[in-house]
Amino acid sequence: MLTIALPKGRIAKDTLDKFEKAFDEEFVFEDRKLILEKAGFRFLNVRNQDVPTYVMHGAADLGVVGLDVLEEKEYDLIKLLDLQLGRCKVAFGLIKGQELDMTKSKITVATKHEKIAKRYFEEKAMAVDIIKLYGSIELAPLVNLADCIVDIVETGATMKQNGLEVGPTIMESSAHLIANKNAYYAKKDVIFDLKEKIEAVLQWD
Ligand code: PRP
């Protein structure tokens, strides 16, 4: 049995869709149930940011998670496959008409992606104040909580509707299949077989 942590929402649905095609079985979570067991797999329905935690601790052998979340956690996990789902980027959001003022002595950035933002400024040897938020990040520059934001941009609509412009991109992200290191070595054959089947589905999709 392989245990796979899936992030709640669309990525879980799209991932299960790939499994349906790969195994010719129906994989659907029942109503509020958080575990789905079928065809030798046990899927866990967890919060996006919690996927790497389940995999790191070995509570799940595998997980599906955006690269942005993985980078933020800095866990030592194996990246098995790009599922080519949930494509987005982590980028700056700036007040319309403003640019990122790199000459400013200190920039204040509001973000959910603290570590990614911090690393960006460290690489440029720039001083930064990071304000950690958990959602509605686009609001921060509008009420002077921060000079700018670092956030996920998919269509860019959220920034646009809130008077922000998409600034420089820090990283591109998409959902990846990840593995716990011990599980990967202990269950290598079954994990490899799964990876090949999913890869084949990605090729025809
Ligand atoms: C993300 C992000 C933006 C929005 C960007 O939020 O924080 O608000 O999506 O998408 P867009 O470019 O297509 O407008 P999400 O929906 O993941 O919710 P969250 O803030 O609760 O994480």
Side-chain angles (χ1 to χ4, degrees):
M1 169 95 78
L2 271 184
T3 301
I4 307 172
L6 296 180
K8 283 188 174 172
R10 214 186 64 213
I11 290 184
K13 206 193 151 290
D14 290 349
T15 303
L16 289 174
D17 194 54
K18 306 287 178 211
F19 274 79
E20 291 193 348
K21 287 181 177 152
F23 295 93
D24 204 19
E25 294 259 3
E26 199 182 35
F27 293 100
V28 187
F29 280 97
E30 251 175 75
D31 195 26
R32 305 283 169 109
K33 283 208 177 164
L34 301 175
I35 297 182
L36 160 66
E37 276 188 17
K38 203 161 183 190
F41 297 108
R42 178 163 63 172
F43 296 98
L44 311 179
N45 194 12
V46 312
R47 273 295 294 270
N48 195 22
Q49 287 94 336
D50 294 335
V51 169
T53 310
Y54 280 82
V55 179
M56 186 63 201
H57 291 276
D61 304 306
L62 305 177
V64 171
V65 72
L67 273 189
D68 61 305
V69 174
L70 205 55
E71 285 274 313
E72 205 43 42
K73 294 285 181 195
E74 299 176 322
Y75 289 157
D76 190 17
L77 298 166
I78 296 175
K79 262 183 255 165
L80 284 178
L81 183 64
D82 182 353
L83 293 173
Q84 299 159 33
L85 308 167
R87 280 185 204 283
C88 61
K89 58 188 183 179
V90 179
F92 281 92
L94 307 163
I95 288 188
K96 203 162 182 240
Q98 285 187 3
E99 284 191 5
L100 201 55
D101 183 2
M102 295 296 194
T103 61
K104 215 174 158 183
S105 62
K106 200 179 233 180
I107 293 179
T108 307
V109 181
T111 188
K112 214 175 347 186
H113 295 79
E114 266 178 302
K115 288 183 184 158
I116 292 172
K118 201 158 168 264
R119 276 201 298 272
Y120 179 89
F121 285 93
E122 269 168 10
E123 279 163 18
K124 296 196 159 15
M126 285 178 63
V128 64
D129 258 342
I130 308 268
I131 297 180
K132 165 87 178 179
L133 294 177
Y134 294 87
S136 303
I137 321 285
E138 293 82 2
L139 196 55
L142 307 179
V143 294
N144 288 320
L145 178 62
D147 299 318
C148 60
I149 64 170
V150 165
D151 199 15
I152 296 289
V153 178
E154 209 180 318
T155 61
T158 311
M159 284 201 193
K160 196 166 176 210
Q161 287 182 27
N162 290 291
L164 301 183
E165 275 175 351
V166 180
T169 296
I170 301 182
M171 67 174 289
E172 303 282 344
S173 179
S174 59
H176 279 60
L177 186 64
I178 57 167
N180 169 282
K181 279 200 161 167
N182 294 333
Y184 181 72
Y185 294 112
K187 302 183 183 180
K188 207 164 185 167
D189 292 349
V190 52
I191 290 177
F192 211 74
D193 181 58
L194 169 65
K195 178 177 179 259
E196 283 196 330
K197 287 201 166 76
I198 299 287
E199 253 169 350
V201 172
L202 295 178
Q203 273 171 8
W204 345 304
D205 269 8

